[in-house]
């Protein structure tokens, strides 16, 4: 919904929140439930109301637990909070919740002690939540102080409040890097972006106890919803960009290669260069880039031979240039990238093209670009569409995978039969229980995979952790490599044991390794592990979704017998390995 | 804006917040007396009025905004002072 996308009209959202909520609830979409505990150290009423809108907008069905006394709530041994079974605990704290800020007469030791005691206080809360609920914790860091008794010295003498807050924020960052379930809501950045004077309203604090101005709440919630959506793997995955007057200045079909603008020193060129550089950064962290341009294909490609272009053709995972309507090209791009159109973000300077895409493919996020190119980058950045939850090594390598994919496709064309091609790939697989090291990637894969996904189950990072250490569960991960490179972790199976029965709760595989018999290799290993654990029967379950038709017949093809909703395999019979082309180490 | 216009704007805001477009709200009513009203809406109303009329309420005024009529007079006073060039 446009009202809930950047740039936000905070007054409009606050005034029409009931209508916006009703309209969101009228949208026909399947909404997974989400249990959010909001623990405040200041008034939270409006935060809850507005956050609900942004989470509904993200396709979730949130239910809330609210409390104004964050410390008591967490430390209370009766634990109404934990009985709520939150998926996410949000600690909405800010400067007003610190026990005290340094005073000019404090000694350096006193300030150090103050810092240590505040850290200890929050560490204790996080510890307690982590041990009582296997949920994600989203924690505000701190905004800069609204006033500076020491003036500019405040930023650098030990007694300075600005310095104190900076130091506390650094320690929060360290804690979040160390704790896998702690995520920061960076209100330090957000309040700077908005301006401290618009962030903090003394009147609203004194009169109603709000630690931030009402006008800032929609901004807070927009940011927070992006963090929560990212935790659930609901961030978007690909940016589709137009060429003329978007990626570069000018129209290549008319101005020619020498006429388009992306050179240093040229004001318009600089703005396009900054956008290109940002796109490269998105790509480095795993966002797939694609081009959708109304151009003659040869002419469109020619633009990438410009000496000053930052983006190279091989950075693009899909390239559509032609004269068909853009919505049709977007559908093709999604197909090329094995994504649904709801994973795409569309960047185009032309309002008519944007309007057409908005109307035809409402699930695509369309960035409302301003008229002037210098505003493009900010608009894209603030959208929050690509918020990552963690920086996964595999993401950084994804661009390389896509290149290796192209080489594999070339090799496939050189072979007449599939079996010959698969043998030529010289595939090797490692299939073993997920290690701590693989955990972030495994979790990400579970959140992201839609097509080869038998049950569609999603897990919170904490839940996955619990299953990994459970004696009654097997969490198996598979990585596949071949002569063109390594594909990384691309398949996960979670099986639950109940006496002599093993049940497959989750079976997913990345589309990158479809038709490589990798699912057969995984299946052989699952059978082997289950037998070793003494299981006599293996149960499978296929839960249809709009995207997983691909695996509707999987259990049938593997020799399972249908029993009502379930599929069953007798493990006491002899098992002939199904995979014939992958060499497996387990 | 005329005094009547001010009153009408406040009335519309109150109806918007309650999402009851046709609601009849008498000028002698305090918003807090309306069914479905909450302290939350009270804050939202105060902030929305500050934005709409480009005025600031003092802390004392925020304490009790009064009836719709009293609120309209208060805003009128503030607007008048602004027109006179006084803060």
């Amino acid at each position: 919904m446009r009202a809930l996308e950047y740039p936000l009209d905070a007054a409009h959202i606050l005034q029409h929140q009931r209508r916006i909520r009703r309209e969101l609830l009228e949208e026909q979409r399947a909404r997974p439930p989400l249990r959010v505990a909001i623990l405040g150290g200041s008034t939270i009423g409006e935060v809850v109301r507005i956050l609900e809108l942004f989470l509904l907008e993200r396709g979730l069905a949130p239910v809330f637990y609210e409390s104004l006394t964050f410390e008591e709530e967490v430390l209370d041994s009766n634990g109404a909070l934990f009985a709520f079974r939150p998926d996410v605990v949000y600690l909405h704290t800010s400067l007003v919740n610190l026990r005290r800020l340094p005073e000019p007469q404090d000694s350096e030791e006193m300030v150090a002690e103050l810092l240590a005691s505040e850290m200890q206080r929050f560490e204790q809360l996080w510890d307690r939540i982590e041990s009582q609920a296997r949920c994600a914790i989203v924690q505000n860091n701190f905004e800069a102080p609204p006033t500076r008794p020491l003036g500019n010295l405040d930023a650098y003498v030990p007694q300075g409040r600005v310095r104190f807050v900076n130091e506390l924020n650094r320690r929060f960052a360290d804690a979040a890097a160390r704790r896998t379930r702690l995520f920061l809501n960076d209100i330090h950045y957000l309040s700077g972006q908005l301006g401290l004077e618009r962030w903090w309203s003394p009147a609203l604090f004194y009169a109603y106890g709000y630690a931030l101005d009402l006008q800032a709440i929609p901004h807070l919630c927009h940011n927070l919803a992006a963090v929560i959506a990212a935790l659930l793997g609901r961030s978007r995955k690909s940016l589709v960009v137009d060429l003329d007057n978007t990626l570069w200045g000018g129209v290549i079909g008319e101005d020619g290669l020498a006429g388009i603008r992306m050179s240093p020193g040229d004001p318009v060129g600089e703005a396009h260069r900054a956008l290109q550089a940002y796109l490269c950064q998105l790509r480095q962290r795993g966002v797939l880039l694609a081009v959708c341009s109304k151009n003659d294909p040869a002419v469109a490609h020619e633009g990438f031979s410009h000496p000053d272009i930052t983006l190279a053709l091989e950075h693009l995972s899909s390239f559509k240039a032609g004269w068909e309507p853009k919505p049709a090209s977007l559908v093709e791009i999604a197909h090329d990238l094995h994504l649904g159109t709801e994973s795409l973000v569309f960047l185009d300077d032309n309002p008519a093209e944007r309007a057409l895409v908005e109307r035809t493919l409402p699930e695509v996020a369309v960035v409302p670009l301003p008229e002037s190119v210098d505003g493009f980058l900010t608009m894209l950045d603030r959208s929050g569409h690509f918020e990552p939850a963690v920086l996964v090594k595999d993401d950084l390598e994804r661009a390389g995978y896509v290149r290796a994919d192209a080489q594999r496709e070339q090799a496939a064309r050189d072979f007449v039969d599939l079996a010959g091609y698969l043998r030529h790939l010289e595939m090797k697989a490692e299939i073993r229980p997920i290690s701590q090291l693989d955990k972030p990637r495994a979790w990400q894969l579970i959140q992201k995979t839609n097509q080869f996904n038998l049950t569609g189950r999603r897990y919170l990072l904490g839940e996955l952790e619990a299953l990994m250490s459970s004696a009654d569960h097997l969490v198996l991960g598979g990585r596949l490599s071949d002569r063109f490179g390594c594909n990384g972790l691309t398949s996960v199976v979670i099986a639950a044991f109940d006496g002599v029965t093993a049940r497959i709760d989750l079976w997913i595989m990345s589309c990158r390794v479809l038709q490589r018999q990798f699912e057969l290799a995984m299946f052989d290993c699952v059978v082997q592990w289950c037998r070793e654990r003494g299981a006599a029967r293996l149960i499978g379950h296929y839960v249809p979704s709009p995207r997983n038709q691909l695996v509707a017949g999987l259990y049938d093809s593997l020799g399972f017998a249908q029993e009502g909703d379930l599929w069953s395999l007798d493990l006491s019979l002899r098992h002939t390995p199904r995979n014939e082309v992958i060499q497996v180490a387990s | 804006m005329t005094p009547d216009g001010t009153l009408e704007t406040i009335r519309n805001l109150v109806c918007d917040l309650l999402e009851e477009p046709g609601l009849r709200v008498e000028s002698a009513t305090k918003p807090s007396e309306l069914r479905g009203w909450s302290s939350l809406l009270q804050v939202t109303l105060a902030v929305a009025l500050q934005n709409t009329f480009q005025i600031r309420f003092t802390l004392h005024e925020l304490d009790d905004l009064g009836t719709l009529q009293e609120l309209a007079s208060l805003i009128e006073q503030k607007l008048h002072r602004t027109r006179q060039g006084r803060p």
Side-chain angles (χ1 to χ4, degrees), chain B residues 41-85:
Chain B
L41 291 183
Q42 187 76 6
V43 192
T44 316
L45 175 66
V47 172
L49 290 171
Q50 294 193 143
N51 282 332
T52 309
F53 294 103
Q54 291 295 302
I55 50 160
R56 304 301 286 178
F57 293 117
T58 67
L59 258 182
H60 288 293
E61 290 158 355
L62 283 176
D63 232 11
D64 180 10
L65 290 172
T67 65
L68 261 56
Q69 186 59 60
E70 288 162 346
L71 196 46
S73 311
L74 177 64
I75 293 171
E76 278 301 314
Q77 262 175 40
K78 286 180 181 284
L79 292 174
H80 182 68
R81 255 180 294 170
T82 317
R83 280 192 292 267
Q84 304 279 309

Side-chain angles (χ1 to χ4, degrees), chain A residues 201-214:
Chain A
S201 158
L204 277 186
F205 181 61
Y206 301 137
Y208 306 113
Y210 276 101
L212 71 171
D213 194 324
L214 234 49

Side-chain angles (χ1 to χ4, degrees), chain A residues 2 5 242 294 325-328 330 346-369:
Chain A
R2 173 58 73 224
E5 285 169 31
D242 166 55
K294 283 204 174 150
K326 290 210 171 180
L330 288 175
F346 181 57
L347 198 70
D348 196 313
D349 69 299
N350 185 338
E353 297 289 5
R354 296 203 300 266
L356 181 66
V357 170
E358 272 173 348
R359 214 172 44 244
T360 329
L361 303 170
E363 70 280 12
V364 172
V366 177
V367 183
L369 293 183

Side-chain angles (χ1 to χ4, degrees), chain A residues 39 70 74-75 82 89-93 118-133 135-142 168-179 181-184:
Chain A
L39 310 184
F70 68 106
V74 172
L75 300 176
F82 299 116
V89 172
Y90 169 49
L91 289 161
H92 176 55
T93 47
E118 286 295 354
M119 269 322 281
Q120 194 192 6
R121 179 180 173 214
F122 279 94
E123 298 262 12
Q124 188 191 0
L125 297 181
W126 302 329
D127 282 343
R128 166 94 178 153
I129 300 172
E130 283 176 4
S131 68
Q132 294 295 308
C135 63
I137 306 169
V138 181
Q139 168 72 57
N140 284 352
N141 57 8
F142 297 95
L168 205 50
N169 282 342
R170 195 190 59 74
R171 294 192 191 188
F172 268 42
D174 288 346
R178 211 172 48 241
R179 293 169 181 260
R181 283 192 265 148
L182 179 65
F183 301 86
L184 291 187

Side-chain angles (χ1 to χ4, degrees), chain A residues 475-532:
Chain A
V475 184
L476 210 55
R479 46 180 74 242
L480 183 67
S481 59
D482 62 33
R483 57 186 299 162
F484 296 110
C486 175
N487 287 286
L489 188 80
T490 42
S491 182
V492 177
V493 171
I494 298 180
F497 295 92
D498 180 10
V500 292
T501 302
R503 185 185 70 231
I504 299 176
D505 284 341
L506 173 109
W507 186 354
I508 56 162
M509 190 174 81
S510 161
C511 291
R512 229 161 51 206
V513 293
L514 276 179
Q515 296 186 313
R516 307 275 290 274
Q517 296 197 10
F518 190 39
E519 69 277 23
L520 301 182
M522 285 298 287
F523 172 64
D524 291 339
C525 282
V526 170
V527 168
Q528 192 187 335
W529 277 87
C530 290
R531 286 177 141 181
E532 281 170 16

